[in-house]
Amino acid sequence: MMNPNRIITVLFVFLSFAACSIVFAQKETPSRLATDGSTEYIIVLPAAPSPVEQTAAKELKTHLEASTGAAFPVFRENELPESDAKKPKLVVGNSALMRKLLPNVEPAKLSADAIVLQTVGNDIILAGHPQRGTLYAVYELLENHVGVRWWSLTETDIPKKPILEIPPLNVHYAPKLIYREAYYLDAFEDVFGARLRCNGNKSLNSPEYGGRMQIMGFVHTFDIFIPPDKYFDKHPEWFSEINGERKKHGGQLCLTNEEMTQEMIRVVMNGLREDPSMKIVSVSQNDWHGYCQCARCNAVAEEEGGNVGGQAGLMVRFVNKIAEAVEEEFPDVFVDTLAYTYTRKPPKLVKPRKNVVIRLCSIECSFVQPLDGPQNKSFHDDIVAWSRMSQNLFIWDYVTNFSGYMLPHPNLRVLAPNIRFFVNHNTIGLLEQGDAYCTAGDFVRMRTWVLSKLLWNPDLDDKALFDEFLTGYYGKASAPFLKEYWNLLIDRAEQSGVFLGTFQHSTHHWLDDATFVKAYCLMQQALDAAETETYKNRLRRDKMPMDIVLLKERYYPLRREAERTGQPFFGPPDPLAAVDDFLARCREFDVVAYEERNWQPQFNEFARLFREGIIPRTAPPPEFCRDLFDDSWLDIQNHEFNVSPRFRAGAFQQVVRSAADPAASNGWTAKISGNAPTWMVNYRFGRTLETMKPCQSAVSSPKPLFRLLAAVRCETKNTEGTAFTLGIHDFDAKKSVATKSFSINEVAGPNYRWVDFGTIALEPQHTIYFAPAATARGGFIYVDRLVLVRTDSMESVFEVPSVMQTGPDGEAWQLIPAEQRLEATLADFVLPSPEKYGISNDKVITMPGIYDGKAVTYPLGKAAEQIGTRGNLYVLVSCWSQSGNGPGILFGITDTAAKKNVVSGAISVKAVGDRYGGLTWYKIGGIPLSKDGELWFSAPGKLGNINASYIERLVITP
């Protein structure tokens, strides 16, 4: 490893041979390497070539011979026959001959991975930095001047060139990124990874291909270097104190403990001594929160910025101590640490040492906008701030969808701008984490190829790279359809305003039905236009993202829409046969993962449930629909639901699945685990709404109204509390339309109960979802069917047996006449610190967990005037908890005139559940109301282990 300041410098050496004592002048005409299967050129290696130089000569010989049909002999310079001494040469490696021809080039002093391609007389020099430079110089020649394309691990194009001419060369280049990792399956292999010029920790380059830039520990190393099972019992003070208790698991280290720091130094130094090839060691936080809250750590964090940068300052101070010790014995080794989640904001005072690498992670970003877009302002500002205090940044960037490797992920336009942004802000190492576990993900080969090119040279034209891949890999006839396909998807995602994060369970929130149909047809046109079987097979595989969207999200709604409108249906007539074909292609292309951390046993279960879920199963109409017009109601069965195929981490239990159930109307149901982390079952209404007619011909309304019912039951140990929430969400407008929660005691038992969402105006872009509540954890929610009836009237026109008449306690306010209750929405709240709080994309107010002041307030004067001196308060809230215990939200009432707090309390995490279960109504009874009263809410800060708390609205009743 070179001096850090030299490593990040791009070396462009411009040599003036006229000023040298070399007898050769640079050739101005092309060098003809081969003519009709013969060549005068020989390949010359150093007398004692390194393994990399030998590989470079082998790669050069193999590809030139395959292209030209000529034989290129290889000689070491000390074994060169006298008869060949005057022949033109391809001088490979850092030989005496190279030094004679280019005396001004000293390979050992070049920047990391620098290359030299130089024509001198009739000779061509291919050399560079001793570790990998010569090999990369050969690859540069083969790609840019022979036309070789290594598209993937198994697919290479070598053009046939009976006459091969190479223009005069004068290329001296060093990559701006010394660490380059395209985190995809193909790039992990030795040969292909080297050909892509990837050298990261996961690139398994053998010594023959230059090795890799390995990071000791790689990432999240606190528990690796200081394992709790080894140290905690004797040294609990070395580990995080959280809520007054030292944590053996689920925490971090106590970074102000000097004894622990010395042990970390000892462990790191021993590791480096055992493997001196390591040039980077990671000393980095575990992959969760749980930082130490002891008095000493809190004091340092306050010095370094408190809630903004405090934890990063604490971390950098600690890592600087490790780096100082490392530098004494290993001056060329970097110490790497993360700026990630709670350490992402830069500190106020401390600066990283010159041998410390700060590795930022973009996991909170949106990837439909570049980093200078408004969605990413926070991360953008953090990188700028870190780059001002550190010359050595690494970036862990995310270029995939972890929740659905095979779903379309329209982020292609931001890839190059983001890489350039990183490089322009002192980034020297970049890991682009793609879908490394899926062989048939979303155009993974194109992503791997283009990203690798940009990592090597960020200044390349990314549009030209994409065009080249589409044409070269899929054929000239198919490429125009594919280019239109990608432009269509990306345009739609940009227009939707979606926050395209790394965990997207479906495409409904950005991809409308009309655009999907057009995109699907473009992929089919590309497949139909394929000129060869090779191109066709590639497209059969890379069309699979469109196929899974159709079969898992859209098939039945779009087919129903086509049937009702009289339009032809573009999809396959037999959905089960289509699923079987899809799964056969998964086996053909060795697909073993649908999402991150999936593997073959889980994928087999996913495939089985996928197949079961698509089988159409009819049921008799509900009794209350039998007298209604046929085109006035819809029966939506479980095989039509959009079900996220997500598994619980580290287990084989899917959180939602299609399951046999004799009690269900057609014998099958959607079985949702009470531990489900999000909206695992949903249904987008689509344009089918426009084909429905009122159930009574005399009914009229300014706009269509629909009554929505669901057949549901639950099994849970709890007998009280909320079972689940039904919600309507508008993804186009990015807002919640309506929610309603249903209690356990109303749907518990072996029989399905009709739950009535009520009458509501619906639009095609609306989606209904089921979200289990926290009180359903450990149990299951079963959804048999949804029934939608167009009524165009708020008055009930039919009776439904076993319909819930009242909701849980949180919804009891709905029974109070509107004129007797006071409702407050987002616009009515006051945010005392607007620079810290705002309304998120989910249209809720977010209160960061580390804050312990008044985050949200609401004046009670109007409530006192309308309701009286006492009232009941209902709040719609949730929280994001690390532990699942303790206080989740603090609340109180302040008398602003007397300047004192008159009421205070806390809402527990267990009462409102985790954020993934949706928002929950919580009742606070008998609160005092006065004209000077001010209601306030905040996250519990130091009192709880909370990442964030959320509030959407409140209701006050008598």
Side-chain angles (χ1 to χ4, degrees):
M1 181 70 65
M2 312 294 289
N3 179 283
N5 293 326
R6 295 191 67 248
I7 288 175
I8 63 172
T9 303
V10 179
L11 178 64
F12 290 93
V13 181
F14 297 97
L15 299 177
S16 174
F17 288 98
C20 300
S21 58
I22 303 174
V23 297
F24 303 102
Q26 183 172 336
K27 191 174 182 178
E28 295 182 358
T29 59
S31 300
R32 179 167 289 196
L33 267 61
T35 303
D36 297 330
S38 65
T39 181
E40 291 293 315
Y41 274 83
I42 59 175
I43 298 173
V44 178
L45 279 167
S50 69
V52 169
E53 290 170 332
Q54 293 179 62
T55 301
K58 181 182 68 175
E59 290 277 69
L60 182 62
K61 174 182 173 65
T62 299
H63 289 83
L64 287 181
E65 291 181 347
S67 178
T68 66
F72 287 80
V74 178
F75 299 99
R76 298 190 181 192
E77 61 181 345
N78 61 326
E79 298 173 354
L80 184 64
E82 187 175 343
S83 59
D84 293 327
K86 294 184 179 181
K87 286 185 177 181
K89 302 170 185 65
L90 296 167
V91 182
V92 175
N94 304 322
S95 60
L97 178 57
M98 185 280 295
R99 292 190 293 274
K100 177 182 178 182
L101 296 174
L102 297 179
N104 287 359
V105 174
E106 299 182 57
K109 293 183 179 181
L110 296 178
S111 293
D113 293 337
I115 63 172
V116 176
L117 291 86
Q118 185 79 50
T119 303
V120 180
N122 292 322
D123 298 328
I124 299 176
I125 294 94
L126 303 164
H129 186 276
Q131 185 171 7
R132 287 176 288 264
T134 296
L135 182 61
Y136 290 165
V138 166
Y139 290 148
E140 193 82 4
L141 178 81
L142 291 174
E143 280 195 318
N144 292 342
H145 301 287
V146 181
V148 176
R149 290 295 180 267
W150 298 288
W151 299 123
S152 73
L153 176 62
T154 59
E155 298 160 309
T156 298
D157 283 351
I158 303 177
K160 298 299 181 182
K161 292 191 173 182
I163 298 176
L164 176 60
E165 292 185 336
I166 304 296
L169 298 175
N170 184 16
V171 178
H172 297 255
Y173 175 75
K176 299 176 182 179
L177 295 165
I178 67 167
Y179 180 104
R180 304 173 300 279
E181 183 144 22
Y183 205 81
Y184 288 91
L185 193 60
D186 276 11
F188 296 162
E189 192 269 346
D190 278 6
V191 179
F192 188 61
R195 289 169 174 172
L196 294 178
R197 274 77 110 202
C198 289
N199 65 354
N201 188 79
K202 193 70 173 178
S203 302
L204 303 178
N205 297 153
S206 61
E208 291 76 16
Y209 285 87
R212 55 179 170 152
M213 190 167 288
Q214 192 171 359
I215 301 176
M216 191 173 95
F218 189 47
V219 74
H220 303 310
T221 60
F222 277 5
D223 275 9
I224 296 174
F225 292 153
I226 308 290
D229 290 340
K230 177 180 179 180
Y231 291 102
F232 184 84
D233 291 344
K234 290 185 178 180
H235 301 285
E237 71 278 6
W238 290 10
F239 297 85
S240 289
E241 178 184 311
I242 301 174
N243 297 328
E245 179 184 354
R246 297 287 177 174
K247 296 291 185 181
K248 183 174 184 179
H249 297 294
Q252 306 287 347
L253 296 175
C254 180
L255 301 183
T256 57
N257 187 287
E258 189 58 33
E259 189 179 26
M260 183 278 296
T261 302
Q262 292 305 312
E263 180 65 8
M264 177 68 80
I265 291 172
R266 186 191 69 81
V267 170
V268 167
M269 297 296 285
N270 284 345
L272 292 173
R273 290 167 188 146
E274 291 173 5
D275 188 353
S277 68
M278 293 287 183
K279 296 304 178 184
I280 304 175
V281 56
S282 173
V283 179
S284 52
Q285 68 207 57
N286 298 320
D287 197 10
W288 49 78
H289 282 62
Y291 53 80
C292 185
Q293 302 169 0
C294 75
R296 287 181 302 180
C297 287
N298 281 346
V300 173
E302 284 300 316
E303 288 180 13
E304 290 290 354
N307 298 333
V308 180
Q311 291 302 320
L314 184 60
M315 182 69 70
V316 172
R317 290 191 190 191
F318 170 71
V319 172
N320 276 351
K321 293 179 181 179
I322 312 300
E324 183 178 8
V326 166
E327 187 178 21
E328 292 181 6
E329 187 172 342
F330 301 97
D332 291 335
V333 171
F334 280 119
V335 179
D336 161 278
T337 196
L338 292 172
Y340 175 60
T341 59
Y342 68 86
T343 59
R344 205 190 82 191
K345 297 289 183 183
K348 179 180 178 181
L349 301 175
V350 68
K351 296 185 185 303
R353 287 175 54 85
K354 64 180 182 180
N355 63 329
V356 169
V357 169
I358 300 297
R359 188 173 1 169
L360 288 96
C361 306
S362 62
I363 197 166
E364 299 96 344
C365 292
S366 170
F367 298 96
V368 77
Q369 290 186 2
L371 290 175
D372 57 3
Q375 290 180 334
N376 295 318
K377 186 178 186 305
S378 176
F379 186 73
H380 169 281
D381 293 349
D382 288 346
I383 289 186
V384 172
W386 278 108
S387 70
R388 289 171 179 159
M389 65 176 66
S390 173
Q391 292 298 307
N392 307 315
L393 298 184
F394 270 35
I395 302 293
W396 189 308
D397 193 28
Y398 300 84
V399 289
T400 189
N401 174 17
F402 292 129
S403 297
Y405 282 153
M406 303 181 79
L407 293 179
H409 194 57
N411 66 339
L412 299 187
R413 284 183 193 154
V414 309
L415 299 181
N418 285 356
I419 290 175
R420 294 178 192 126
F421 176 83
F422 295 141
V423 169
N424 290 337
H425 289 85
N426 296 339
T427 296
I428 63 172
L430 179 52
L431 182 151
E432 297 286 8
Q433 186 171 3
D435 37 357
Y437 308 106
C438 185
T439 57
D442 184 34
F443 281 70
V444 290
R445 287 151 189 83
M446 180 176 72
R447 294 171 181 274
T448 306
W449 190 82
V450 171
L451 281 167
S452 299
K453 297 289 183 189
L454 293 169
L455 290 173
W456 175 251
N457 183 356
D459 296 327
L460 292 176
D461 184 339
D462 51 305
K463 293 180 181 178
L465 291 174
F466 282 118
D467 287 348
E468 180 183 353
F469 191 93
L470 292 177
T471 301
Y473 189 71
Y474 300 104
K476 293 181 180 179
S478 298
F481 297 110
L482 298 174
K483 186 174 182 180
E484 185 179 355
Y485 163 86
W486 273 111
N487 284 332
L488 177 71
L489 290 183
I490 298 171
D491 286 345
R492 173 56 192 160
E494 290 176 348
Q495 293 162 7
S496 74
V498 63
F499 192 95
L500 192 76
T502 58
F503 297 93
Q504 307 290 313
H505 293 281
S506 79
T507 63
H508 277 307
H509 53 308
W510 64 270
L511 183 58
D512 63 288
D513 288 343
T515 304
F516 167 73
V517 172
K518 187 174 181 181
Y520 187 95
C521 293
L522 284 169
M523 278 298 300
Q524 187 61 50
Q525 287 175 285
L527 179 59
D528 294 341
E531 302 155 281
T532 68
E533 284 302 310
T534 297
Y535 293 152
K536 189 177 293 290
N537 280 331
R538 291 170 179 174
L539 285 162
R540 286 178 57 246
R541 180 195 60 219
D542 292 343
K543 179 174 169 287
M544 291 172 74
M546 280 285 103
D547 291 331
I548 201 167
V549 172
L550 173 63
L551 296 170
K552 288 202 66 62
E553 298 181 14
R554 316 282 175 124
Y555 184 85
Y556 286 105
L558 288 175
R559 190 173 79 170
R560 187 202 303 274
E561 178 184 314
E563 291 170 350
R564 284 186 170 243
T565 59
Q567 300 296 316
F569 179 50
F570 71 97
D574 184 345
L576 184 57
V579 168
D580 286 341
D581 173 73
F582 180 90
L583 295 176
R585 279 181 283 159
C586 287
R587 292 188 292 273
E588 177 184 353
F589 299 120
D590 297 321
V591 177
V592 297
Y594 176 82
E595 63 176 351
E596 189 186 26
R597 298 189 183 95
N598 230 322
W599 50 86
Q600 188 68 66
Q602 284 189 334
F603 189 81
N604 292 343
E605 180 70 357
F606 158 74
R608 182 182 70 81
L609 298 174
F610 182 17
R611 191 178 190 278
E612 285 183 357
I614 200 70
I615 298 173
R617 300 177 177 93
T618 59
E623 181 179 350
F624 53 87
C625 291
R626 290 176 181 171
D627 296 329
L628 303 180
F629 299 137
D630 289 343
D631 55 3
S632 69
W633 64 280
L634 291 179
D635 183 18
I636 304 164
Q637 285 287 341
N638 62 83
H639 62 271
E640 301 182 55
F641 299 161
N642 176 32
V643 175
S644 174
R646 180 170 179 174
F647 290 80
R648 294 176 57 196
F652 295 116
Q653 178 186 354
Q654 195 181 36
V655 296
V656 57
R657 56 172 294 182
S658 179
D661 186 357
S665 59
N666 64 359
W668 285 79
T669 188
K671 183 180 180 180
I672 313 171
S673 168
N675 301 323
T678 186
W679 307 345
M680 305 308 289
V681 168
N682 57 75
Y683 180 85
R684 187 180 179 103
F685 294 112
R687 288 178 293 181
T688 302
L689 293 177
E690 299 167 2
T691 69
M692 297 178 66
K693 298 178 180 178
C695 60
Q696 289 184 337
S697 57
V699 174
S700 61
S701 174
K703 60 180 178 179
L705 297 174
F706 300 87
R707 189 170 175 188
L708 181 62
L709 304 106
V712 187
R713 70 181 184 90
C714 77
E715 296 175 353
T716 177
K717 295 179 181 179
N718 294 323
T719 58
E720 296 182 353
T722 302
F724 65 92
T725 296
L726 262 178
I728 307 293
H729 193 83
D730 186 331
F731 281 115
D732 287 358
K734 300 177 183 58
K735 67 178 182 180
S736 175
V737 177
T739 61
K740 191 170 185 178
S741 299
F742 298 91
S743 67
I744 291 173
N745 59 26
E746 289 165 323
V747 292
N751 298 317
Y752 284 88
R753 302 288 302 275
W754 285 106
V755 295
D756 192 350
F757 190 83
T759 301
I760 187 172
L762 297 175
E763 298 180 18
Q765 73 273 15
H766 288 172
T767 296
I768 183 172
Y769 64 86
F770 290 80
T775 45
R777 289 178 180 170
F780 293 93
I781 308 296
Y782 299 83
V783 183
D784 172 19
R785 69 206 298 189
L786 295 171
V787 172
L788 187 67
V789 183
R790 179 172 170 181
T791 65
D792 285 11
S793 171
M794 295 301 294
E795 298 179 3
S796 177
V797 294
F798 53 85
E799 294 295 325
V800 180
S802 302
V803 174
M804 183 182 71
Q805 298 300 315
T806 62
D809 194 43
E811 296 280 29
W813 59 267
Q814 292 184 332
L815 304 178
I816 307 296
E819 64 272 15
Q820 296 181 23
R821 66 181 190 241
L822 185 67
E823 299 182 41
T825 60
L826 294 172
D828 302 310
F829 292 114
V830 178
L831 303 177
S833 301
E835 72 279 5
K836 295 181 180 179
Y837 310 103
I839 299 172
S840 72
N841 290 320
D842 295 324
K843 300 301 181 184
V844 296
I845 296 173
T846 301
M847 300 178 287
I850 57 175
Y851 183 67
D852 56 0
K854 294 180 180 180
V856 180
T857 64
Y858 177 75
L860 294 173
K862 185 177 180 181
E865 180 179 341
Q866 180 175 326
I867 294 172
T869 58
R870 288 277 173 180
N872 291 322
L873 171 67
Y874 300 86
V875 289
L876 189 58
V877 291
S878 185
C879 61
W880 176 10
S881 167
Q882 299 178 41
S883 63
N885 297 306
I889 300 172
L890 303 182
F891 68 89
I893 295 176
T894 300
D895 186 328
T896 57
K899 297 182 180 180
K900 66 178 183 179
N901 211 47
V902 294
V903 169
S904 62
I907 303 173
S908 71
V909 172
K910 290 184 177 179
V912 296
D914 193 270
R915 62 173 180 164
Y916 293 116
L919 297 169
T920 300
W921 283 104
Y922 184 87
K923 178 182 178 182
I924 304 170
I927 64 168
L929 303 175
S930 68
K931 65 180 180 64
D932 297 317
E934 181 186 71
L935 178 65
W936 59 266
F937 300 91
S938 81
K942 299 175 183 177
L943 299 177
N945 200 13
I946 301 294
N947 294 322
S949 301
Y950 309 88
I951 181 168
E952 181 181 307
R953 56 182 170 142
L954 62 83
V955 179
I956 301 175
T957 69

